[in-house]
C-alpha cells in the first residue's frame, strides 16, 4: 500500500481526496497539506479550505505549514508519505521539498499540457475556442506545469 500525502486547497480537489481516502486497498492518505485558513466574507472570518474541511471529516491529519519554511521537511518526514497527490494546491514547491518523497509528487492538471499551463487552463482553452480539453497527470518538477 502506497502512503500518500494529499496536497490541495479548493473544492475542486475534494472529490479526489475522498476517492484516494476510500481506496484503502491501494493507498493510505497519511496527511493532507493545504493552505492556512483565510479570511472570507464581510466579517473577514477565518475559514478553512474545502480540502481541510474534508480532511477533518475523514479524520486525516492536516498540515498547513508553508513548504518554504525549513521546518516543513521535518513535518513531512514524520508523515511517512512515499508520494504526494497534488490537486490545485496553489504553491510552487522547492526542489528540496520535491526530493523529500521517494516516489515523488504527482499533479492532476485540469487541461491539456503543455498548451494550457497555469491558473484557469480549462477556461482559457474554452475562451480560445479549442474544441477539446482534458486533464493531465504529471510528476512535478522545478518548472510550472512542466
Amino acid at each position: 500500500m502506497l502512503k500518500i500525502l494529499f496536497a490541495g486547497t479548493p473544492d475542486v480537489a475534494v472529490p479526489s481526496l475522498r476517492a484516494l481516502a476510500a481506496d484503502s486497498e491501494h493507498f493510505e492518505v497519511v496527511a493532507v497539506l493545504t493552505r492556512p485558513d483565510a479570511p472570507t466574507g464581510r466579517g473577514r472570518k477565518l475559514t478553512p479550505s474545502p480540502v481541510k474541511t474534508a480532511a477533518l471529516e475523514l479524520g486525516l491529519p492536516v498540515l498547513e505549514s508553508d513548504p518554504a519554511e525549513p521546518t516543513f521537511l521535518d513535518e513531512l518526514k514524520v508523515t511517512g508519505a512515499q508520494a504526494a497527490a497534488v490537486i490545485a494546491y496553489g504553491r510552487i514547491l522547492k526542489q528540496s521539498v520535491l526530493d523529500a518523497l521517494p516516489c515523488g509528487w504527482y499533479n492532476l492538471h485540469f487541461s491539456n499540457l503543455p498548451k494550457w499551463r497555469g491558473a484557469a487552463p480549462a477556461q482559457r482553452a474554452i475562451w480560445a475556442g479549442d474544441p477539446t480539453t482534458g486533464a493531465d497527470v504529471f510528476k512535478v518538477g522545478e518548472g510550472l506545469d512542466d
Side-chain angles (χ1 to χ4, degrees):
M1 178 181 323
L2 188 63
K3 294 183 179 194
I4 298 285
L5 170 75
F6 185 90
T9 300
D11 55 357
V12 71
V14 171
S16 296
L17 170 59
R18 291 189 186 283
L20 283 170
D23 187 357
S24 59
E25 183 179 339
H26 299 101
F27 306 107
E28 178 186 356
V29 179
V30 294
V32 173
L33 173 63
T34 191
R35 305 284 295 265
D37 296 357
T40 58
R42 291 186 129 167
R44 307 304 292 159
K45 179 182 174 190
L46 283 180
T47 306
S49 74
V51 165
K52 179 179 180 181
T53 300
L56 294 174
E57 288 171 4
L58 292 166
L60 299 171
V62 175
L63 304 176
E64 294 178 277
S65 304
D66 183 345
E69 294 296 322
T71 56
F72 177 76
L73 289 175
D74 292 331
E75 286 183 64
L76 183 59
K77 186 176 183 179
V78 168
T79 69
Q82 299 164 296
V86 182
I87 302 170
Y89 173 54
R91 297 287 310 255
I92 296 175
L93 303 170
K94 291 195 263 183
Q95 191 63 46
S96 61
V97 173
L98 297 176
D99 293 340
L101 298 181
C103 297
W105 296 66
Y106 294 85
N107 186 57
L108 171 61
H109 185 79
F110 298 111
S111 78
N112 293 326
L113 293 171
K115 187 172 183 181
W116 299 110
R117 298 175 154 191
Q123 294 90 325
R124 290 186 15 238
I126 292 166
W127 295 333
D130 277 5
T132 60
T133 188
D136 287 343
V137 175
F138 61 93
K139 188 172 185 181
V140 178
E142 282 188 270
L144 180 62
D145 297 342
D146 65 353

